[in-house]
Amino acid sequence: MSIGLIALLDDVAAIAKLAAASLDDIAGQTATASAKAAGIVIDDAAVAPNYVVGVSPAREFPIILKITLGSLRNKLIFLLPAALLLGYFAPWAITPLLMLGGAYLSYEGAEKVLGAIKPHHGGVSAETTAVAADPKTLEDEKVQSAIKTDFILSAEIMAFTLASIPAGSIWVQAVIMALVAILITLAVYGVVALIVKADDLGLALAGNRDASFLGSIGRGTGRGLVKTMPILLKLLGIVGTAAMIWVGGGIIIHGLEVYGLPALGHAIETAAETVTHPLPAGGSIVAWIVKAAASGIVGLALGALLIPLATYGLAPIARALKGRRGQAV
């Protein structure tokens, strides 16, 4: 075998090793970025089942599929290129955008808490009745509302993912962000599909006429699913709201540290160390709980401050702008 051919094979082997290392690096960074976005993902999974409440069971899967495709479109077509452009041309803008998203999450979470404490009792308008009387219009409204909400959460996921990736090739960043977008979207809406169809599965199992032992177990399982699914959905809503507030507060705390205001973050770290220092075991878990609770308090406080601003300041401005657009048309 000639020396040239041996050298060529060595070069091919080196390129293969480099490619394998790059793939391992991409896989590792994808997993890390996905884990760091877990809080937002929990909130996304908690919110999504509400969009199939009140529709025909036969339309639940088609609605979830439409929302899934809309979420992928949000992430891959709109948000991924925008995030890469920001990261390349204006990396200084990532932290402010993250903080803006964190403030929005805090506001949404605080508004949900306020709604649970003081439910709004309003009548049903003629417009709502008309929409409810038209199943297709109702479905389209639900899908559009879900995709709009998903856009905000997806923007946070993509910005959070970009901030979690070490500086490097823009193509590697693009691949990692695309993988995170696809994996998170499929995971979230796959879980949502299982949740919304679990009660149908429960009804089918509960109605089983098989007299065997397995049939009896199936009927018991079905009755259990039917009884526990409403509780699970309520619990998921609570967890989603808590995750929204916790993630929002955590983003704000991190943003303050980036801008040279670390006092709040240091105080939380000190509190966590003080609580966990005397514990012989499980200190890391307790420390995480303390930090998450503190972030949640910050998020809830910020959200409570933003509610009157949004209600009495931003909402009238938005209505005025909407009215002007309507007159222009």
Side-chain angles (χ1 to χ4, degrees):
M1 186 179 294
S2 68
I3 299 298
L5 182 57
I6 293 175
L8 177 61
L9 291 176
D10 284 343
D11 290 341
V12 170
I15 293 172
K17 288 180 181 179
L18 181 60
S22 298
L23 289 174
D24 287 341
D25 189 43
I26 289 173
Q29 291 186 37
T30 300
T32 300
S34 300
K36 289 185 177 181
I40 307 172
V41 172
I42 292 171
D43 177 63
D44 204 359
V47 170
N50 296 325
Y51 292 103
V52 294
V53 174
V55 303
S56 168
R59 296 302 304 164
E60 289 175 345
F61 269 136
I63 288 176
I64 293 171
L65 179 59
K66 289 180 181 179
I67 297 173
T68 303
L69 294 176
S71 178
L72 286 172
R73 184 172 65 249
N74 284 341
K75 293 182 179 73
L76 298 178
I77 296 179
F78 301 118
L79 294 171
L80 191 152
L84 289 175
L85 288 173
L86 276 176
Y88 190 79
F89 292 105
W92 52 267
I94 295 175
T95 297
L97 288 174
L98 277 172
M99 294 183 72
L100 184 63
Y104 176 80
L105 290 175
S106 299
Y107 162 75
E108 283 285 309
E111 193 175 45
K112 288 183 180 181
V113 172
L114 180 62
I117 297 173
K118 293 178 60 178
H120 299 288
H121 300 288
V124 179
S125 66
E127 182 181 357
T128 303
T129 304
V131 171
D134 183 356
K136 186 180 185 307
T137 303
L138 176 63
E139 179 176 318
D140 291 342
E141 290 282 340
K142 284 180 176 288
V143 170
Q144 290 303 316
S145 177
I147 292 174
K148 288 178 182 178
T149 301
D150 174 89
F151 188 89
I152 301 295
L153 295 174
S154 293
E156 282 297 290
I157 289 171
M158 299 306 284
F160 209 71
T161 301
L162 180 61
S164 303
I165 301 173
S169 168
I170 191 172
W171 300 111
V172 172
Q173 291 179 332
V175 170
I176 292 171
M177 292 179 70
L179 288 174
V180 169
I182 293 170
L183 290 174
I184 284 180
T185 302
L186 295 181
V188 166
Y189 292 104
V191 170
V192 170
L194 291 175
I195 290 172
V196 300
K197 299 306 290 184
D199 53 350
D200 293 341
L201 175 61
L203 287 173
L205 290 173
N208 180 23
R209 300 295 182 182
D210 189 354
S212 66
F213 177 71
L214 290 178
S216 177
I217 292 177
R219 285 191 294 275
T221 302
R223 288 191 292 269
L225 282 173
V226 171
K227 290 180 180 179
T228 57
M229 281 312 299
I231 299 173
L232 176 61
L233 287 173
K234 288 183 179 179
L235 180 61
L236 192 60
I238 294 171
V239 171
T241 300
M244 184 181 288
I245 295 170
W246 153 53
V247 171
I251 290 172
I252 296 299
I253 293 168
H254 177 70
L256 292 175
E257 291 176 344
V258 171
Y259 286 116
L261 299 170
L264 186 56
H266 285 172
I268 293 173
E269 288 285 347
T270 302
E273 290 176 2
T274 302
V275 171
T276 57
H277 180 70
L279 298 178
S284 59
I285 297 175
V286 176
W288 181 88
I289 293 173
V290 171
K291 292 177 185 178
S295 297
I297 292 171
V298 172
L300 187 60
L302 175 62
L305 291 174
L306 290 175
I307 287 175
L309 174 62
T311 303
Y312 302 109
L314 299 180
I317 295 174
R319 285 195 295 269
L321 292 175
K322 185 177 181 180
R324 288 184 181 179
R325 285 198 299 267
Q327 292 176 358
V329 173

